[in-house]
């Protein structure tokens, strides 16, 4: 996510800058424990927030093949569809998300093959996004996603990399410099110092690692600062935010 913020009236030679970034689904947490990918029979090792129910088109009707549970972390989980299809025939699969809060799909592969078509998403790049496990995701909250796969696959195993948020999430924002995390922002907080009229070199004014507690990928946050005779300009690139949450997200300087 990239945000550009402009604050008015520049009068001093030095400016103290602090940044608060609140991502509706990418909150900071004190400790984040990475969890391993789980198999379809390992639900007891996590606390699921919701499910993806899988249907297969067979005998001129949609037949329920099973469901896969997820928590807030992106996980690759599998479901064998061999009772419904064979690897040497085209296949149509529906994935219906149920329960929990925000939900996203990163990849949906069948027998190692990417889908040929997708329906049920308004994202113009939906097909490209679900074809590769790369943290470039589509919104799936309470949606029914229909996928068509070509014949000649390795097997009939559906591999779904996805997540489902809890209905209630943390409201803790990221605050930079990072020493300000989990504290109240006031005059005693840490600040960056910017010298007016410094020539920009393209190098970020600050670069901070943001470890998320929401299941979003952790990553660096970059900030750039410049000024003219009237305004101070601040641009922020918060890379851990890989979902579209509209005006639920904000940043302030």
């Amino acid at each position: 996510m990239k945000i550009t913020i402009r604050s008015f009236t520049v009068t001093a030679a030095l400016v103290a800058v602090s940044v608060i970034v609140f991502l509706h689904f990418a909150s900071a947490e004190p400790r984040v424990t990475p969890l391993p990918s789980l198999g379809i029979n390992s639900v007891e090792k996590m606390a699921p927030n919701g499910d993806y129910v899988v249907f297969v088109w067979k005998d001129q009707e949609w037949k329920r093949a099973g469901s896969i549970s997820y928590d807030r972390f992106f996980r690759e989980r599998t479901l064998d569809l061999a009772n419904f299809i064979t690897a040497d025939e085209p296949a149509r699969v529906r994935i219906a998300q149920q329960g929990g809060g925000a939900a996203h799909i990163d990849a949906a592969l069948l027998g190692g093959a990417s889908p040929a078509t997708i329906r049920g998403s308004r994202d113009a790049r939906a097909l490209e996004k679900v074809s590769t496990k790369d943290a470039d995701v589509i919104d799936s909250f309470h949606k029914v996603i229909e996928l068509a796969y070509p014949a000649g696959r390795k097997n009939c195993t559906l591999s779904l990399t996805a997540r489902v948020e809890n209905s209630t999430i943390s409201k803790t924002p990221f605050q930079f410099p990072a020493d300000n995390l989990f504290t109240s922002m006031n005059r005693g907080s840490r600040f960056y110092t910017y010298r007016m009229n410094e020539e920009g070199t393209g190098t970020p004014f600050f670069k901070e690692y943001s470890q998320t507690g929401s299941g979003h990928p952790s990553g660096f946050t970059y900030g750039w600062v410049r000024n003219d005779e009237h305004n101070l300009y601040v641009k922020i690139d918060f890379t851990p935010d890989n979902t579209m949450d509209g005006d639920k997200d904000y940043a302030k300087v």
Side-chain angles (χ1 to χ4, degrees), residues 142-165:
H142 288 184
K143 286 182 170 58
V144 177
I145 305 298
E146 183 177 327
L147 304 160
Y149 295 90
R153 301 176 303 275
K154 295 178 182 178
N155 52 53
C156 298
T157 299
L158 176 69
S159 175
L160 182 66
T161 303
R163 69 193 285 269
V164 180
E165 281 269 6

Side-chain angles (χ1 to χ4, degrees), residues 16-154:
V17 179
S18 66
V19 178
I20 297 176
V21 179
F22 180 82
L23 280 302
H24 190 61
F25 301 118
S27 55
E29 288 190 0
R31 291 175 297 277
V32 180
T33 303
L35 299 178
S37 297
L38 303 180
I40 188 63
N41 298 316
S42 301
V43 180
E44 70 279 4
K45 294 184 180 180
M46 65 174 175
N49 296 317
D51 305 294
Y52 289 87
V53 184
V54 179
F55 300 85
V56 178
W57 181 256
K58 181 179 174 62
D59 299 330
Q60 301 304 305
E61 65 176 339
W62 288 104
K63 296 183 181 293
R64 177 174 171 144
S67 64
I68 314 175
S69 298
Y70 288 83
D71 60 6
R72 69 185 186 274
F73 295 99
F74 280 104
R75 302 176 185 275
E76 181 179 3
R77 308 195 68 202
T78 60
L79 183 64
D80 188 2
L81 305 181
N83 290 335
F84 301 89
I85 55 175
T86 62
D88 58 357
E89 63 178 343
R92 292 169 60 189
V93 176
R94 276 184 177 174
I95 302 171
Q97 196 280 319
Q98 298 179 354
H104 304 91
I105 294 175
D106 184 7
L109 308 180
L110 183 60
S114 300
T117 63
I118 185 171
R119 298 176 63 184
S121 174
R122 295 181 179 181
D123 193 321
R125 296 181 53 245
L127 183 60
E128 176 186 352
K129 290 183 177 183
V130 301
S131 296
T132 307
K133 183 181 175 182
D134 58 1
D136 195 1
V137 304
I138 65 168
D139 175 39
S140 57
F141 179 61
H142 288 184
K143 286 182 170 58
V144 177
I145 305 298
E146 183 177 327
L147 304 160
Y149 295 90
R153 301 176 303 275
K154 295 178 182 178

